Amino acid sequence: MLGGGSWATALVKILSENGARVDWWLRSKEDVQHLLRTRHNPRYLSAVQFDLNRVYPTTDLEDAIEEADWLVLAVPAAFVQPVLDKLDRDALKHKNVISAIKGMIPSKNQLVTDYVAERFRLPRTQLGVIAGPCHAEEVALEKQSYLTIGSPDAGLALAFCELLRNRFVSAHPATDLDGIEYCAVMKNIIALTGGIAHGLGYGDNFLAVLVSNAVQEIRRFLQAINPQPRDLSASAYLGDLLVTAYSQFSRNRTFGSMVGRGYTVKSAQLEMNMIAEGYYAVKSIHELNKKLKVNMPITEAAYNILYERSSPAVEMDILKEKLR
């Protein structure tokens, strides 16, 4: 497990309690020492207690992955490249790599799995992604949750599902790796934009219309960048979108709401002290769409507000006339 955030912490809880050995890489020596001393992550989901006979925290990246059969990536997307570029290109040759990151590599406007495949020369059959409506806070509270593991290799997806399934987690395989991963990125943009609207005083009626239009926007984009039959009403797509747009735990919605209330991007980021992946996703999807030229009014509004410093109120006035 690479990453020390809330989702990494929740996944370590699931995997270790299911009997797996988890070598857990964290960047902070202080966090590792705290875990070894108290069996709790000091920063995230601190109520979760770990069995140190199954969980092995470390700051040594190469040591963490050396004996692993599976590598789960759960660091913020902006940090994936700086972390993994420290490894030899053959370091992941015989490992299955699962991305638990709902974001893109900002410097490359590239999906995390595409970057891993390129950087480590891995076939896509060794790659997978965790998707679905799965806030870490609810998983830690053992609320019923549903995950989808996307991979071109159905056997790989099913095997990782088996590692995750327990009395409160249902996990199911799917083969649409790119579609699931792009949707996981784009739902953060929608939640962020919905948060901006909420911060400006728009209500539930508007958010429902925004989300309905978002499904169409996501469908248009996916058909342009990776056309294939897919059911966007499935929980890996629509379910993930809904929970991120509406939940109290959604950091992207929270970040957007702060911007809508008048915070600058920088001040909102500092106050949250957490990464809102949607901020980086907006720019990546906007850049990709320069070539595709898909009609994406929601993404365009978010981009103008976050990167062109347009007035949130003005952009929402323009957007509301484009929604149906």
Side-chain angles (χ1 to χ4, degrees):
M1 181 67 62
L2 269 59
S6 56
W7 191 213
T9 305
L11 288 170
V12 172
K13 167 186 165 65
I14 295 170
L15 292 164
S16 63
E17 290 181 359
N18 278 353
R21 171 189 168 119
V22 182
D23 291 283
W24 188 4
W25 178 84
L26 301 98
R27 184 172 52 177
S28 166
K29 290 183 180 179
E30 291 76 16
D31 290 355
V32 168
Q33 290 169 355
H34 186 95
L35 268 161
L36 291 172
R37 187 173 63 254
T38 70
R39 299 190 291 168
H40 299 276
N41 186 339
R43 298 177 187 270
Y44 301 98
L45 308 182
S46 55
V48 176
Q49 184 170 302
F50 296 99
D51 180 352
L52 296 183
N53 291 314
R54 291 177 179 167
V55 177
Y56 299 85
T58 180
T59 58
D60 188 322
L61 181 60
E62 292 184 352
D63 184 58
I65 70 170
E66 185 176 5
E67 299 297 327
D69 297 313
W70 300 86
L71 177 64
V72 181
L73 305 176
V75 297
F79 302 146
V80 171
Q81 189 175 358
V83 169
L84 293 187
D85 277 357
K86 298 173 184 176
L87 295 172
D88 184 84
R89 289 177 67 91
D90 292 325
L92 309 184
K93 189 174 182 180
H94 300 296
K95 303 184 188 303
N96 297 315
V97 181
I98 304 293
S99 173
I101 303 165
K102 298 181 178 182
M104 300 183 73
I105 308 296
S107 61
K108 294 176 171 287
N109 302 322
Q110 190 176 35
L111 293 175
V112 172
T113 56
D114 286 344
Y115 159 73
V116 171
E118 178 185 283
R119 171 70 176 78
F120 297 99
R121 299 171 293 202
L122 294 182
R124 289 170 60 80
T125 50
Q126 285 180 232
L127 303 173
V129 62
I130 302 176
C134 47
H135 281 308
E137 293 80 359
E138 289 200 356
V139 171
L141 291 170
E142 301 190 356
K143 302 284 189 181
Q144 184 65 43
S145 300
Y146 294 80
L147 303 179
T148 299
I149 308 303
S151 175
D153 187 319
L156 179 147
L158 183 58
F160 199 73
C161 286
E162 294 293 341
L163 292 174
L164 294 172
R165 288 172 178 156
N166 62 23
R167 61 182 176 78
F168 61 90
V169 174
S170 295
H172 304 279
T175 56
D176 182 21
L177 177 63
D178 284 352
I180 289 172
E181 196 167 2
Y182 272 120
C183 189
V185 169
M186 294 185 68
K187 56 89 181 178
N188 287 331
I189 299 173
I190 308 309
L192 192 155
T193 309
I196 293 172
H198 179 264
L200 288 167
Y202 287 77
D204 291 344
N205 292 344
F206 178 80
L207 182 58
V209 174
L210 180 76
V211 170
S212 298
N213 279 259
V215 174
Q216 300 170 45
E217 184 163 317
I218 292 170
R219 178 180 290 112
R220 289 193 296 267
F221 180 82
L222 290 179
Q223 281 303 108
I225 201 164
N226 184 257
Q228 62 173 279
R230 50 175 63 93
D231 179 9
L232 291 188
S233 66
S235 63
Y237 309 97
L238 181 59
D240 206 357
L241 170 61
L242 290 175
V243 78
T244 309
Y246 285 95
S247 174
Q248 62 177 321
F249 296 123
S250 171
R251 65 188 68 176
N252 288 283
R253 179 185 164 100
T254 300
F255 176 79
S257 182
M258 294 171 74
V259 172
R261 296 200 312 270
Y263 283 73
T264 65
V265 167
K266 181 62 71 176
S267 62
Q269 289 173 325
L270 288 172
E271 183 158 324
M272 282 184 64
N273 196 32
M274 297 176 81
I275 299 292
E277 293 282 13
Y279 171 71
Y280 300 101
V282 166
K283 187 174 183 182
S284 290
I285 297 297
H286 175 81
E287 292 296 320
L288 289 174
N289 198 42
K290 284 182 178 179
K291 292 182 179 180
L292 299 172
K293 300 189 183 305
V294 176
N295 178 29
M296 302 183 72
I298 301 172
T299 301
E300 182 181 348
Y303 178 83
N304 290 340
I305 292 167
L306 298 179
Y307 290 93
E308 299 294 343
R309 300 186 179 181
S310 294
S311 161
V314 169
E315 287 297 330
M316 283 299 118
D317 277 341
I318 294 171
L319 177 61
K320 72 182 184 183
E321 296 302 319
K322 297 178 179 179
L323 303 181
R324 295 291 183 267

